[in-house]
Amino acid sequence: LIKIIYKYKHGLFIPSSSPVVDMFSTLLDLFLQRSVDSKSLAERQKQQMARSLPKQKSISGVHQVLVVASGKGGVGKSTTAVNLALGLIANDPSKSVGLLDADVYGPSIPKLMNLKGNPELSDNNRMIPLINYGVPCMSMGFLVEDAAPIVWRGLMVMSAIEKLLRQVDWGSLDYLVVDMPPGTGDVQLSITQNIPIAGAVIVSTPQDVALLDARRGAEMFRKVNVPVLGLVQNMSIFQCPNCNHQTHIFGSDGARQLADTLGVQFLGDVPLHLNIRESSDRGRPVVVSSPDSPEAAAYRSLASAVVQRLQEVSG
């Protein structure tokens, strides 16, 4: 029947009048029309979805944006972000580095950077970052009371993120380090869709549970076309201050093995050290409070590895 209909429609021969041929010819016309309509509909839906996504727009004055992320909380992501920013400056004092705290529900940057107070407004009505240790910082923690809980629904959080991205007067920065909230939710997607990101640094402990979430975080950035610069293994080893015995409390080389599995760079180890915890709690990060310590050297080495990866990715 298909052959008959094909020949009939293309005039190869004219069969005697047949209701069967006419019926199948009509059905074929309807099928072909529906197929064209389906393709047109799919194309229109694709165009509408593309239009609905936010257009990526650079942050005024910022050359490159680095995000520091983790699949779960409690792995030292914020401490890593702060010391990475300070390590970039320690390695090259000519570079200007800013720090954005995108963790709306649990902002840590004010405490870690020993900053408090409300930001002032510039002449063009943008918030002026608070500065310490030569690093301009912006956080939701500057806009709410210290003990006030941020009980917001998604739309309010997205609005706050938009303000932190677009209504801050950063001046001129070589790098803006963004301390992301843990996980792979709306905030992460909103940031990656709104601004061009030079690369993502994933922080994890060697613990298996943390590595599972770190893998999800790395895969999320890949899906949204953000280069994964590599993995940082935090709290990698503990050295007893009394006997100098070293213990792998959270396991050994888990993040290094995950980096190999994912095919991404391993950026380095950061030890579990009392000095890092105490200096962070005092608001004097170890890179500035103990610049000659092995802990500070670990963060400076991390900063060097990040810069090298940025050059490889951009090149």
Side-chain angles (χ1 to χ4, degrees):
L1 286 173
I2 292 174
K3 289 181 179 179
I4 292 173
I5 294 170
Y6 178 84
K7 292 179 179 180
Y8 172 73
K9 290 188 68 64
H10 290 80
L12 299 179
F13 73 92
I14 306 297
S16 60
S17 178
S18 169
V20 174
V21 172
D22 291 341
M23 178 185 71
F24 275 97
S25 179
T26 302
L27 288 174
L28 181 60
D29 286 336
L30 290 173
F31 173 79
L32 292 174
Q33 182 63 39
R34 178 166 294 182
S35 177
V36 172
D37 290 345
S38 297
K39 290 180 181 178
S40 299
L41 178 61
E43 185 63 29
R44 286 198 300 271
Q45 288 176 339
K46 184 178 179 180
Q47 292 174 356
Q48 289 171 354
M49 288 181 66
R51 286 197 299 269
S52 65
L53 289 174
K55 298 289 185 181
Q56 281 194 339
K57 182 182 177 183
S58 300
I59 299 175
S60 178
V62 176
H63 180 56
Q64 288 183 308
V65 177
L66 307 173
V67 296
V68 179
S70 65
K72 68 192 303 279
V75 298
K77 169 184 55 61
S78 296
T79 301
T80 301
V82 165
N83 283 287
L84 170 60
L86 293 166
L88 290 168
I89 297 175
N91 289 344
D92 188 350
S94 69
K95 298 297 183 182
S96 54
V97 183
L99 192 55
L100 172 61
D101 188 353
D103 193 349
V104 173
Y105 290 115
S108 302
I109 298 304
K111 175 69 173 177
L112 292 170
M113 292 294 286
N114 194 27
L115 289 168
K116 62 175 58 179
N118 301 121
E120 297 180 356
L121 296 178
S122 66
D123 294 337
N124 57 356
N125 211 32
R126 292 189 175 187
M127 293 181 288
I128 300 175
L130 277 63
I131 301 177
N132 200 8
Y133 311 121
V135 178
C137 304
M138 182 51 63
S139 169
M140 184 55 61
F142 300 148
L143 307 176
V144 297
E145 296 295 329
D146 290 345
I150 301 175
V151 188
W152 289 352
R153 293 188 182 275
L155 288 176
M156 295 180 68
V157 174
M158 292 301 102
S159 176
I161 290 296
E162 179 69 17
K163 287 180 172 57
L164 290 174
L165 291 177
R166 300 295 178 198
Q167 297 184 17
V168 177
D169 188 354
W170 291 105
S172 178
L173 294 178
D174 293 294
Y175 305 108
L176 177 62
V177 178
V178 181
D179 179 21
M180 299 280 269
T184 54
D186 288 344
V187 172
Q188 290 84 349
L189 289 175
S190 178
I191 291 174
T192 55
Q193 289 173 353
N194 272 280
I195 60 174
I197 296 174
V201 175
I202 310 295
V203 181
S204 178
T205 62
Q207 190 178 5
D208 288 347
V209 174
L211 293 169
L212 286 172
D213 293 326
R215 180 169 193 157
R216 294 188 184 99
E219 294 295 349
M220 182 208 73
F221 284 115
R222 281 178 167 175
K223 284 184 179 295
V224 294
N225 299 317
V226 172
V228 178
L229 301 180
L231 269 69
V232 180
Q233 185 165 253
N234 198 27
M235 309 181 197
S236 60
I237 194 169
F238 172 72
Q239 180 171 307
C240 176
N242 296 319
C243 66
N244 294 327
H245 176 71
Q246 294 184 339
T247 305
H248 295 277
I249 293 177
F250 296 106
S252 175
D253 287 335
R256 187 186 297 271
Q257 294 167 8
L258 177 60
D260 291 340
T261 301
L262 295 175
V264 300
Q265 188 85 17
F266 179 73
L267 298 174
D269 289 291
V270 177
L272 176 63
H273 200 282
L274 184 63
N275 190 24
I276 297 177
R277 196 275 300 168
E278 289 181 339
S279 61
S280 297
D281 286 348
R282 292 196 306 266
R284 289 184 51 80
V286 69
V287 170
V288 292
S289 62
S290 303
D292 297 325
S293 66
E295 305 83 64
Y299 286 117
R300 290 197 305 273
S301 176
L302 167 62
S304 296
V306 167
V307 171
Q308 181 177 347
R309 284 289 293 132
L310 281 173
Q311 293 171 350
E312 295 171 358
V313 169
S314 60

